[in-house]
Amino acid sequence: MPRRWGDVVIAVGLDPSLTCTGVAIANGSEITTRRVMSPNLGKSLLSRRNRIRRAVEGILAPIPARVDVTVIEVPHSRQQFGAQNERIALYWILVDQLLARGPVVEVAPSQRAKLATGSGRATKDDVVASTRAAFPEAQIPDDNVGDAVALMWAGARWAGAETPTYLPGQEEAFTRLAWPIRSTTPTH
């Protein structure tokens, strides 16, 4: 559905990680990016809980109370080393909080690479190069933010914002995502 004149699209892209989460927010024509670091606070249950809570707080802080869509990368299902439970907890706490702000769309790691570059086998450097080329005004210091910008790009496109043109592989990845049914009422 086309946007009405004056409507501002707010789309969020998140690449959640316990070490460094990439956040990208398109609010109209302005793109804001952020890296949220969450250092290890120890091995006790309380320390791990506090690490997750600090990460969630930092990730959610710049995100408006209402958004058109958030696109979030899901944790890699085959990653078995280090803090698997904590990564999944971070993901689900974020999804819970984000659903209160608007629809949330999940993206697998290979889909995220294809959304960014047109290839599901793209390297982290390829994703950064592609997102920097598409959004030269955005601050993209690393692959965490590059991933988030790729996800934000898809969300903004779905919500009806003018975005850089997709390559055929990007378009294919975009159409395969489980986008929510569009509402006729503004979400913010």
Side-chain angles (χ1 to χ4, degrees):
M1 167 171 68
R3 309 253 338 152
R4 294 188 311 263
W5 183 85
D7 285 350
V8 173
V9 168
I10 301 175
V12 177
L14 288 180
D15 176 26
S17 164
L18 285 171
T19 307
C20 180
T21 293
V23 180
I25 303 166
N27 190 340
S29 61
E30 182 180 326
I31 297 173
T32 304
T33 63
R34 181 177 192 169
R35 297 171 71 218
V36 178
M37 311 295 272
S38 46
N40 189 333
L41 300 173
K43 293 185 180 195
S44 73
L45 190 57
L46 183 60
S47 296
R48 291 180 289 154
R49 170 191 174 254
N50 287 340
R51 180 183 191 189
I52 293 167
R53 290 181 108 189
R54 287 182 185 170
V56 167
E57 183 178 287
I59 294 163
L60 295 177
I63 300 173
R66 295 297 301 155
V67 301
D68 289 288
V69 66
T70 297
V71 183
I72 186 171
E73 184 174 341
V74 299
H76 197 288
S77 62
R78 287 182 257 170
Q79 203 170 39
Q80 296 300 317
F81 57 88
Q84 177 80 356
N85 289 338
E86 288 83 354
R87 279 194 302 277
I88 291 169
L90 173 65
Y91 172 80
W92 281 111
I93 292 168
L94 287 171
V95 167
D96 175 68
Q97 295 298 303
L98 293 164
L99 282 169
R101 297 170 192 227
V104 176
V105 176
E106 297 177 306
V107 175
S110 63
Q111 288 176 302
R112 180 257 316 133
K114 196 165 186 174
L115 280 170
T117 67
S119 170
R121 297 182 185 272
T123 66
K124 293 176 181 292
D125 289 340
D126 294 337
V127 170
V128 170
S130 176
T131 54
R132 283 180 178 159
F135 298 95
E137 73 284 3
Q139 297 296 312
I140 305 173
D142 63 17
D143 60 281
N144 300 297
V145 173
D147 289 349
V149 169
L151 300 172
M152 176 273 310
W153 183 1
R157 187 170 187 276
W158 173 83
E162 289 186 34
T163 61
T165 304
Y166 267 169
L167 299 170
Q170 291 171 297
E171 182 67 33
E172 179 186 345
F174 179 85
T175 59
R176 289 181 181 229
L177 296 179
W179 295 105
I181 295 174
R182 296 179 195 270
S183 170
T184 56
T185 31
T187 58
H188 46 83

